[in-house]
Amino acid sequence: MAEKVLIIKYGEIAMRGNNKYIFINRLISSIRKNIDHLGNYYVVRDPGRLIVEDRDGELDYDLLIPRIATIFGLIAICPGVRVESLDKDMIYEEAYQHMLAHHGDKDVTFKVKSRRANQGFETPSMEVNMELGGYLLERMPNLTVDVKNPQVVLHVEIRNSVYIHSKEIKTYGGLPYGSSGKAVSLLSGGIDSPVATWMMAKRGVEVEGVYFHSPPYTSEWAKEKVLDLAKRIAEFTGEFRLYVVPFTELQLYLLDNVAHDKLTIHLKRAMMRAGEMIADKDQALSLITGESVGQVASQTMQGIHAIGAVCNLPVLRPLAGMDKHEIIEIAQKIETFDISTRPFEDCCTVFVAKHPVTKPRLKYIEKSELRLTELDRLLDECVANAEIIDF
Ligand code: ATP
Ligand code: MG
């Protein structure tokens, strides 16, 4: 008898010495977190992979795969079966049943690729490939052999048990969430910053979001959008903390006290400083933004310089070298795009200059900030009054 299982492959962590076991444990707990509430499962280690089994009955691929596919550090999920016996007839019969279930309904080219890790099994893998190939051809007229470029590769892995699979669902790769330290991400309701946040989370960085909210100049809809984006990110990371920082007072103060064409630069500097205060409080070691070089006036090299100079922490800008269409492609893939582009109305654009400076000079920006005697107090206040929402 064969049992349905998921065979889960993980990526580059396999190469990382002693950390490997910590990383694999993280992957197992992420998988458990995502599926334990759905049933009664085992997550078992097998050399180089993880196997998910259903303890209570037949495993439901369609239920589990989407819930596991969001986990960073995994490279592929293969729906397959495990045969406990090393009896060749039984293995071939189960391979046939598997092919029938997954590729029985249309003409496909295929080959068998077996691997014999268990030398207790007597038939060499080349022979298994040929014998099983013939066995399948006799029973399934829709199959044709193509050893060079087959549409379907039937894997038969002969270990202590035998694993049979023929489909590989590619997942995102990356590193297990939380394995690369913590960073605070400046998360707006736009297209870019959710993608930037996701990209760093994919590299194993534990992320927290900070959203600067300026009611009534930014609407409740804008905040709703950010909350929905945070919720979506949490589906990848398992959990996500969002700080909603009330920014109106500080923003109005800057509006009254700096040159209008440099307002955006001062605003972004204030955001960076507030982000850094939250990072310090939560022991995060970097900031993340969705800046992309040249995208808007404040993202010229001079703009990025003038904004970034206010930070002591490193600023990670994973989108720096990407074109908008490349960013949008990722936003669509991770399903943040539709949330980010949801229409909403901000009731006022007083904070947007018609002709913003494109080449701000840090020296002058810093000089005009010396006159902003209330800035530190307002920053302390808005950070202290931040609303914390945990997803
Ligand atoms: P996005 O699509 O992420 O909003 P953008 O193209 O609109 O980015 P800017 O408005 O110049 O670019 O913002 C640059 C970055 O500053 C954003 O990617 C984000 O990281 C941060 N940021 C901007 N506005 C806010 C905000 N209200 N709250 C939190 N972070 C913000
Ligand atoms: Mg924006």
Side-chain angles (χ1 to χ4, degrees):
M1 259 298 283
E3 184 192 357
K4 279 188 178 179
V5 293
L6 292 175
I7 299 144
I8 299 178
K9 299 180 179 173
Y10 42 80
E12 58 189 293
I13 64 168
M15 298 173 289
R16 293 199 170 195
N18 283 340
N19 279 342
K20 185 170 153 184
Y21 296 99
I22 301 171
F23 284 2
I24 292 171
N25 285 337
R26 277 185 195 274
L27 292 179
I28 292 174
S29 49
S30 299
I31 294 171
R32 290 213 153 288
K33 193 165 179 182
N34 288 12
I35 65 172
D36 269 353
H37 64 287
L38 299 171
N40 197 4
Y41 303 102
Y42 280 120
V43 182
V44 193
R45 290 157 208 254
D46 207 54
R49 63 203 48 206
L50 299 169
I51 310 292
V52 178
E53 305 165 20
D54 194 325
R55 290 193 225 194
D56 287 346
E58 194 176 70
L59 182 139
D60 183 344
Y61 297 138
D62 295 336
L63 177 69
L64 295 196
I65 290 171
R67 272 139 176 127
I68 295 174
T70 51
I71 296 171
F72 297 131
L74 306 178
I75 53 172
I77 305 174
C78 309
V81 292
R82 182 179 51 208
V83 185
E84 286 295 349
S85 154
L86 292 185
D87 177 73
K88 210 159 69 174
D89 291 340
M90 188 177 286
I91 295 167
Y92 288 2
E93 174 61 19
E94 292 300 344
Y96 165 55
Q97 292 300 335
H98 171 86
M99 286 297 280
L100 206 55
H102 290 270
H103 311 284
D105 57 345
K106 56 181 182 301
D107 291 347
V108 287
T109 59
F110 85 112
K111 77 169 176 187
V112 179
K113 192 170 176 185
S114 66
R115 263 193 51 204
R116 185 172 56 141
N118 180 349
Q119 297 302 321
F121 186 81
E122 291 189 348
T123 317
S125 43
M126 281 301 279
E127 231 168 274
V128 172
N129 294 350
M130 286 190 338
E131 275 180 13
L132 178 56
Y135 185 94
L136 294 170
L137 282 173
E138 261 173 41
R139 287 161 181 77
M140 296 178 68
N142 61 316
L143 298 184
T144 327
V145 172
D146 180 346
V147 286
K148 281 229 173 74
N149 199 12
Q151 290 165 307
V152 173
V153 179
L154 175 65
H155 294 268
V156 179
E157 301 183 11
I158 301 159
R159 302 175 167 217
N160 288 332
S161 312
V162 180
Y163 294 95
I164 298 169
H165 60 93
S166 60
K167 274 187 184 164
E168 197 170 81
I169 295 145
K170 295 249 183 286
T171 53
Y172 296 110
L175 293 168
Y177 184 66
S179 61
S180 306
K182 198 197 265 191
V184 164
S185 186
L186 274 58
L187 183 64
S188 73
I191 296 169
D192 302 332
S193 47
V195 173
T197 310
W198 181 87
M199 283 175 71
M200 295 324 302
K202 179 163 90 70
R203 291 305 300 164
V205 177
E206 183 184 347
V207 284
E208 282 183 350
V210 181
Y211 168 57
F212 299 98
H213 186 44
S214 305
Y217 304 99
T218 47
S219 62
E220 275 309 299
W221 292 306
K223 179 176 165 187
E224 281 302 311
K225 247 168 70 164
V226 178
L227 299 191
D228 286 345
L229 288 166
K231 204 182 292 169
R232 179 64 189 145
I233 291 167
E235 284 171 21
F236 292 95
T237 59
E239 58 198 5
F240 188 75
R241 169 165 284 194
L242 179 70
Y243 288 83
V244 178
V245 175
F247 217 48
T248 314
E249 207 183 329
L250 192 149
Q251 209 161 337
L252 289 171
Y253 173 73
L254 290 176
L255 181 67
D256 285 343
N257 290 284
V258 303
H260 202 54
D261 66 339
K262 299 185 187 66
L263 179 59
T264 302
I265 301 292
H266 287 286
L267 268 172
K268 291 275 148 69
R269 281 169 64 91
M271 287 183 187
M272 291 292 202
R273 289 178 65 185
E276 195 161 285
M277 288 159 75
I278 289 170
D280 286 344
K281 189 171 74 66
D282 289 356
Q283 284 103 42
L285 296 180
S286 296
L287 298 178
I288 300 166
T289 73
E291 290 163 306
S292 166
V293 172
Q295 200 188 79
V296 291
S298 58
Q299 293 173 21
T300 59
M301 198 51 63
Q302 292 86 346
I304 287 178
H305 176 240
I307 294 167
V310 80
C311 298
N312 293 309
L313 292 178
V315 182
L316 307 177
R317 300 180 178 87
L319 312 186
M322 292 172 73
D323 294 350
K324 194 75 185 186
H325 75 90
E326 296 172 299
I327 299 168
I328 288 175
E329 232 167 71
I330 300 178
Q332 284 168 330
K333 187 175 75 175
I334 65 173
E335 293 173 31
T336 55
F337 184 78
D338 288 346
I339 306 172
S340 294
T341 52
R342 206 186 278 164
F344 69 92
E345 281 172 51
D346 272 342
C347 52
C348 181
T349 52
V350 285
F351 299 104
V352 184
K354 258 217 181 82
H355 301 289
V357 59
T358 54
K359 293 182 180 172
R361 298 271 298 274
L362 179 61
K363 205 167 69 179
Y364 298 119
I365 298 285
E366 283 176 341
K367 204 166 149 199
S368 48
E369 258 172 32
L370 289 177
R371 293 197 308 269
L372 303 177
T373 49
E374 293 299 299
L375 186 59
D376 285 339
R377 178 184 65 79
L378 290 167
L379 276 168
D380 286 342
E381 261 176 36
C382 74
V383 170
N385 291 328
E387 178 189 2
I388 300 175
I389 305 169
D390 286 314
F391 292 89

